[in-house]
Amino acid sequence: MLALTSCTGKLGKATLDAILEHNLIPLTKLVICTSSNVDDQRWDTLKSKGVQVRSFNFDTPSPSTFKDCTSLYLISTPNISMDFNNAPPGSGREKAHIGAIKAAREAGVSRFFYTSLAFGGDSGAGVMRAHLRTEEFLRDLQEKAGVKVTVMREGLYNESWPLYLGYFNLKGDERGEVLLAGDGKISWTAIRDLGLASALVLAEGTGRFEGKTFYLSRREGARSLSEMARLAGEARGREVKLRIVSREEYVECYVERGVERPSVEWWSSTYGALERGECLIDDPTLEELLASKGVSPTTVEDTIKEMLRIE
């Protein structure tokens, strides 16, 4: 059986939806691991079709959650505060991931699918740090325990552009100028497309992805943040300009705008990674997987229009 985590989150829900829509995996072989109420009515239809729903918490993972499971689809914990203040190895989000992996191993799981992020393998971005530590743990486990590991470095969400664009407020950001600590091309990828591609990797039965680390990112249509500002300005009918400033000035600007300092300091390292070209991805895997189902990737332009409700 396959254990799925974070099915109420963005990527997890998109993955589960794709499995259901395309009938990729028999439902009797799925176990949803959730921190929400397992008796919630939202699960009733799935349960009636044979899906098991079990309690799971990153803080206190239990082997019982993964009983009789052979594979685990592990989506990273959203608790980013664990990474703040330059969390040392073993104290960031990787602590939660490794705890879940160890619990799954104790239950007999031998196949791991991990959703990492589409930054470089030697990235200095704070947002990538816990992912790289988790990847390293899995590689070591693969070497020493003989488990099978697949690492999917998931593309930066189309839908996350407001975060990258200076915490842009969709409900009425009045700024004509946005301060950022750097700029660079990003291979933006829609959550729905990532969900389908990830689901197809989970369902792939030939071993094509075993022992592999690869990117799931749209190759065409990469856009820099200056281009995203222009697109957002066109969509809302009022120009948005960028001004590139030092990392220190960026931090002070957004602390003054009400974002917690540890969060801004952690996030600010992202822009150096963008300038190094880490998020400009050239990997055909996503397009190949989507094409197998006759699906074309969603452009970031369409996502911006939808999010700003402009046609």
Side-chain angles (χ1 to χ4, degrees):
M1 289 195 293
L2 169 65
L4 304 169
T5 66
S6 304
C7 288
T8 57
K10 294 175 182 177
L11 178 59
K13 183 178 185 304
T15 303
L16 178 60
D17 287 348
I19 290 172
L20 299 175
E21 179 180 350
H22 296 276
N23 299 311
L24 297 177
I25 299 171
L27 299 189
T28 53
K29 294 186 177 181
L30 296 181
V31 175
I32 292 175
C33 308
T34 179
S35 59
S36 63
N37 184 355
V38 296
D39 295 319
D40 192 295
Q41 291 182 349
R42 77 173 84 181
W43 307 120
D44 287 352
T45 299
L46 289 173
K47 287 179 178 178
S48 70
K49 296 179 180 179
V51 176
Q52 295 186 44
V53 181
R54 300 178 185 172
S55 294
F56 170 72
N57 191 308
F58 269 116
D59 295 330
T60 54
S62 170
S64 62
T65 298
F66 308 108
K67 184 176 185 255
D68 297 325
C69 293
T70 56
S71 301
L72 170 62
Y73 177 54
L74 183 64
I75 295 178
S76 58
T77 172
N79 187 11
I80 59 173
S81 63
M82 296 177 70
D83 292 343
F84 294 170
N85 302 310
N86 293 314
S91 298
R93 284 185 294 164
E94 72 276 4
K95 179 180 180 180
H97 304 158
I98 291 170
I101 293 165
K102 287 181 175 179
R105 277 296 296 145
E106 188 175 335
V109 172
S110 59
R111 184 79 173 89
F112 293 88
F113 300 86
Y114 177 65
T115 62
S116 186
L117 194 58
F119 281 77
D122 58 352
S123 181
V127 70
M128 188 61 178
R129 189 180 303 125
H131 289 296
L132 292 175
R133 293 171 179 172
T134 304
E135 288 184 19
E136 182 180 9
F137 179 83
L138 284 168
R139 282 194 300 270
D140 187 62
L141 190 64
Q142 181 175 248
E143 181 178 333
K144 294 180 179 178
V147 301
K148 298 174 181 177
V149 172
T150 296
V151 173
M152 295 175 271
R153 289 184 177 167
E154 307 274 351
L156 277 56
Y157 298 166
N158 282 7
E159 296 82 355
S160 69
W161 67 265
L163 172 61
Y164 290 84
L165 197 62
Y167 305 91
F168 198 83
N169 186 351
L170 295 175
K171 295 182 179 180
D173 201 308
E174 297 300 322
R175 286 175 293 174
E177 181 180 70
V178 173
L179 272 62
L180 298 181
D183 194 5
K185 291 274 190 180
I186 294 174
S187 298
W188 303 98
T189 313
I191 294 171
R192 180 180 173 85
D193 295 338
L194 290 169
L196 175 54
S198 299
L200 288 167
V201 171
L202 295 175
E204 208 281 329
T206 68
R208 171 187 172 190
F209 298 108
E210 288 180 6
K212 301 290 181 61
T213 295
F214 54 90
Y215 290 87
L216 293 177
S217 287
R218 183 170 178 254
R219 297 170 82 189
E220 302 296 327
R223 295 285 181 265
S224 66
L225 293 175
S226 58
E227 291 175 295
M228 297 297 285
R230 175 180 58 79
L231 292 168
E234 291 173 355
R236 75 170 187 175
R238 189 166 64 256
E239 185 179 17
V240 180
K241 294 182 179 179
L242 287 194
R243 179 155 64 92
I244 305 301
V245 299
S246 69
R247 186 172 167 185
E248 292 75 17
E249 185 174 349
Y250 171 89
V251 170
E252 294 307 321
C253 170
Y254 290 102
V255 169
E256 288 179 8
R257 290 181 64 87
V259 187
E260 293 184 359
R261 181 176 294 276
S263 177
V264 185
E265 289 177 342
W266 171 77
W267 181 250
S268 65
S269 59
T270 299
Y271 295 95
L274 297 184
E275 292 199 322
R276 290 188 294 272
E278 289 187 25
C279 300
L280 180 60
I281 308 301
D282 184 18
D283 187 323
T285 307
L286 179 114
E287 277 95 343
E288 291 172 357
L289 289 167
L290 296 189
S292 73
K293 291 298 178 182
V295 174
S296 297
T298 303
T299 68
V300 73
E301 290 85 350
D302 286 344
T303 300
I304 289 175
K305 290 177 181 178
E306 180 179 349
M307 290 174 71
L308 291 174
R309 297 183 180 178
I310 301 293
E311 298 296 336

